[in-house]
Amino acid sequence: MNADEPEDPQRQGLRERLETILITTEKATSWHEEAGHLRALVNHEGYVPIRTRLAIEDLEFLAGARTELLRFSELGLRLLDLHQPRDAGGITSDAAHPILRCRSCMWRWPCPTFRAMSESFGREAAEGP
Ligand SMILES: [Zn+2]
């Protein structure tokens, strides 16, 4: 890509939207440890009544978290469907390990998109970065 070319406005808008989600999420309080403690207090009806103080950053995060996480999950599943290996065909000296290419972007498998997804979501993230 030529650095002098103006950025595609649709791509620019998408980048800004994703950066906003990233910043909003980073500012919010992590509930990872608190959720661990609260899990032990769930009552027989399946609830745990809590009183808590939420900062404005936490409310900003919570307001959109469910929708955004659903979108991210759907995006991930769509990308996973798009980027999958297929036999590249042709003659290879190693019939047991044929050369595979991504059927969407045609990079050698695992393709950069799959590798990026795998680096982000491929492990069980207890708390994340
Ligand atoms: Zn691919």
Side-chain angles (χ1 to χ4, degrees), residues 13-28:
L14 198 51
R15 171 176 291 280
E16 284 169 9
R17 180 81 192 103
L18 289 168
E19 285 173 349
T20 300
I21 293 172
L22 181 68
I23 290 165
T24 305
T25 305
E26 279 179 343
K27 284 183 179 172

Side-chain angles (χ1 to χ4, degrees), residues 75-117:
L75 169 66
L77 291 169
R78 285 175 66 186
L79 288 174
L80 207 54
D81 282 344
L82 282 171
H83 295 268
Q84 49 181 296
R86 72 167 193 198
D87 193 329
I91 298 165
T92 171
S93 57
D94 188 356
H97 300 96
I99 292 171
L100 299 175
R101 289 195 180 276
C102 177
R103 74 176 193 186
S104 184
C105 64
M106 299 306 290
W107 278 75
R108 194 162 176 173
W109 190 258
C111 74
T113 302
F114 179 80
R115 285 204 311 268
M117 291 179 67

